[in-house]
Amino acid sequence: MAKEGVDMTEETEYMIDRNAGKEAVNVESPSNAKEMRAVVLAGFGGLNKLRVTKKAMPEPQDGEVKIRVKACGLNFLDLMVRQGNIDNPPKTPLVPGFECCGIVESVAENTHGFEIGDRVMAFMNYNAWAEVVCTPVDFVYKMPDDMTFTEAAAFSLNFVAAYMMLFEVASLREGMSVLVHSAGGAVGQAVAQLCSTVPNVTVFGIASCFKHTSIKDSVTHLFDRNADYIQEVKKISPDGVDIVLDCLCGENTGKSLSLLKPLGTYILYGASNMVTGETKSFFSFAKSWWQVEKVNPIKLYEENKVIAGFSLLNLLFKQGGCNLVKSAMDKLLILYEQKKIRPVVDSLWALEEVKEAMQRIHDRGNIGKLILDVEKSPTPLMANDSTETSEAGEEEEEPEGDNDSKERMPFIH
Ligand SMILES: NC(=O)c1ccc[n+]([C@@H]2O[C@H](COP(=O)([O-])OP(=O)(O)OC[C@H]3O[C@@H](n4cnc5c(N)ncnc54)[C@H](OP(=O)(O)O)[C@@H]3O)[C@@H](O)[C@H]2O)c1
């Protein structure tokens, strides 16, 4: 049976404290709401499969806390989930989202260490994009006092993934070199910041050209994603690099392995190349799969190379790795408190703006993280520009009939 917050009821509200530059929590009034808003993915496919609807209010089970959500992280993986571009996709309809933050509103039994009113961030195995979530405390972490909800929503997945890959899989040490794709993205920026916590690490970043001015100071060398990065890296470092972080897959696997120094580590942690159009492309999937270098362990032995894979969500939700993740999170929170790392936020969107937010990441427009701000009102629609780029065969099912040729402008952080 959950313990309800006495004074934590109807809506938990927050205001931006402009002077302090961070959120002040203003908890008010009783709530016995039976419903809450959530983003729902009706089926795999294009943007038209997403909508905001009312769902039954969840209640925490043994070992779970109930969180009044303030903000959620939107990741490239959410785009792949929407398309059904993942292994063993779950059944739809579903509520997407793998991370959120907010205030603990009630606690069930066996939730030692957590209290009503705690400001927390959490990993979710789906269901994060909602006003209220319930989740086991194994996946919940207390936020530092000076961390804003926007920062918290941009923190967990990117920084934990980047930390575990760099320090636990690849053993990053002083003087090493790291190559990272999508360097301007949320994980890319977390990788760059974490590398800067180790002396004398050289970071080769690859990103779309228009991001270069904004992110050039976060890496040592920056290349256009359309350039021949093998040649560019070898001009600077003929022996190659110690670590390659590859979230693209396909032809990059072979290229990356060829760039590794002896005892270097290649980590595959994503398959962004599989995303081409708005919906899943079997051609892109097959091409990416076909282009992956078939790895021969004997060749690895002869060349002294390490090849690895990393999936944070599988580690957390399928492989019982929550203690490993907790230990990484503890170290990251120390770095945050020492002001050595700080999430880069691209833009904030209302739940109702989830399609536009997803379109932005699909269009490679983001620098840093996209956030769904649960308490943000949708920005008024602007006429004559459309981000609704349904592919042939996809019917737009948007209920608000006259919105087809309008778009919302993001709130850029
Ligand atoms: N294994 C794990 O535990 C784990 C955890 C988190 C994220 N990931 C993976 O890490 C990668 C980055 O994730 P993120 O959430 O931080 O996203 P992100 O990098 O913030 O955003 C996407 C960026 O990826 C680049 N990109 C590469 N291929 C693309 C494509 N086909 N379509 C659109 N953009 C493409 C674009 O940057 P440029 O144009 O500048 O290249 C784009 O701005 C993804 O592959 C994701 O699945 C893995």
Side-chain angles (χ1 to χ4, degrees):
M1 183 64 187
K3 295 173 219 161
E4 290 290 339
V6 197
D7 54 354
M8 177 94 44
T9 39
E10 200 131 83
E11 288 280 293
T12 309
E13 293 178 355
Y14 83 114
M15 316 172 299
I16 304 290
D17 178 342
R18 288 173 199 282
N19 295 328
K22 60 184 184 182
E23 294 101 327
V25 179
N26 175 18
V27 178
E28 280 188 353
S29 70
S31 162
N32 34 26
K34 299 274 185 291
E35 289 184 324
M36 53 134 195
R37 281 156 63 242
V39 175
V40 170
L41 181 68
F44 298 117
L47 293 166
N48 61 333
K49 302 293 184 191
L50 291 162
R51 62 208 52 209
V52 176
T53 59
K54 295 267 184 192
K55 299 264 302 171
M57 181 64 73
E59 291 305 331
Q61 308 300 307
D62 197 20
E64 291 186 344
V65 293
K66 178 177 176 181
I67 302 169
R68 177 67 56 173
V69 177
K70 298 294 184 185
C72 316
L74 193 158
N75 297 293
F76 194 82
L77 184 60
D78 299 308
L79 185 67
M80 299 188 74
V81 168
R82 192 202 74 218
Q83 298 189 339
N85 220 339
I86 50 169
D87 275 345
N88 300 317
K91 287 204 166 66
T92 55
L94 59 85
V95 174
F98 297 106
E99 60 181 335
C100 61
C101 62
I103 298 176
V104 173
E105 193 167 85
S106 66
V107 293
E109 299 299 327
N110 299 314
T111 51
H112 181 70
F114 288 91
E115 290 177 3
I116 291 162
D118 281 347
R119 299 163 79 248
V120 292
M121 46 194 170
F123 286 115
M124 302 280 302
N125 194 11
Y126 296 95
N127 293 312
W129 293 354
E131 284 180 314
V132 178
V133 302
C134 292
T135 189
V137 287
D138 285 346
F139 309 119
V140 183
Y141 316 89
K142 288 190 187 163
M143 288 166 52
D145 289 344
D146 61 346
M147 185 182 267
T148 66
F149 288 118
T150 300
E151 284 182 321
F155 192 80
S156 313
L157 209 126
N158 313 320
F159 274 99
V160 172
Y163 184 93
M164 294 190 85
M165 288 193 289
L166 287 172
F167 295 107
E168 286 169 19
V169 183
S171 304
L172 177 67
R173 294 183 299 281
E174 180 170 357
M176 282 185 158
S177 52
V178 178
L179 181 136
V180 61
H181 292 277
S182 307
V187 174
Q189 284 292 288
V191 165
Q193 290 188 18
L194 287 170
C195 285
S196 73
T197 66
V198 179
N200 201 20
V201 168
T202 303
V203 181
F204 296 93
I206 300 170
S208 286
C209 250
F210 87 93
K211 301 177 185 175
H212 287 201
T213 309
S214 307
I215 65 168
K216 65 177 181 346
D217 294 339
S218 64
V219 295
T220 325
H221 305 284
L222 193 52
F223 308 123
D224 177 13
R225 71 179 175 86
N226 295 312
D228 179 350
Y229 67 86
I230 303 280
Q231 289 312 315
E232 297 293 333
V233 171
K234 285 199 166 162
K235 272 186 217 160
I236 299 165
S237 176
D239 294 340
V241 297
D242 294 297
I243 300 170
V244 177
L245 302 179
D246 179 13
C247 59
L248 303 179
C249 197
E251 60 178 353
N252 291 284
T253 305
K255 287 183 179 177
S256 305
L257 283 171
S258 75
L259 254 191
L260 282 185
K261 286 180 183 175
L263 301 187
T265 304
Y266 162 87
I267 307 177
L268 180 69
Y269 70 105
S272 299
N273 276 347
M274 287 187 192
V275 173
T276 44
E278 188 187 338
T279 52
K280 179 176 176 175
S281 156
F282 286 97
F283 176 74
S284 305
F285 176 84
K287 184 176 164 203
S288 201
W289 186 84
W290 180 251
Q291 287 177 326
V292 172
E293 181 99 334
K294 303 298 173 276
V295 178
N296 178 348
I298 295 172
K299 207 168 157 215
L300 292 178
Y301 151 76
E302 287 169 351
E303 294 180 352
N304 271 312
K305 288 180 179 175
V306 179
I307 187 162
F310 182 78
S311 162
L312 177 57
L313 296 175
N314 283 356
L315 183 66
L316 269 172
F317 298 118
K318 292 185 182 164
Q319 296 159 353
C322 60
N323 288 337
L324 293 172
V325 171
K326 167 97 176 54
S327 142
M329 182 64 98
D330 289 344
K331 290 169 191 146
L332 284 164
L333 290 176
I334 292 170
L335 291 173
Y336 176 87
E337 279 169 357
Q338 292 170 339
K339 301 198 186 321
K340 291 185 175 161
I341 56 172
R342 193 136 306 244
V344 176
V345 174
D346 175 73
S347 48
L348 305 184
W349 305 79
L351 290 184
E352 290 76 6
E353 295 167 332
V354 64
K355 294 182 195 182
E356 289 93 330
M358 271 206 181
Q359 188 62 45
R360 183 170 173 85
I361 203 166
H362 183 83
D363 291 342
R364 301 172 178 269
N366 65 303
I367 298 175
K369 185 88 165 192
L370 291 101
I371 304 293
L372 297 179
D373 179 342
V374 174
E375 294 171 343
K376 179 181 179 295
S377 302
T379 315
L381 291 162
M382 298 176 59
N384 296 328
D385 287 307
S386 177
T387 53
E388 313 283 40
T389 56
S390 301
E391 285 209 326
E394 285 287 337
E395 274 181 42
E396 187 51 50
E397 296 162 17
E398 187 64 51
E400 306 95 317
D402 63 350
N403 288 345
D404 285 359
S405 61
K406 297 176 179 179
E407 76 167 1
R408 293 190 181 95
M409 297 306 289
F411 172 69
I412 306 294
H413 192 70

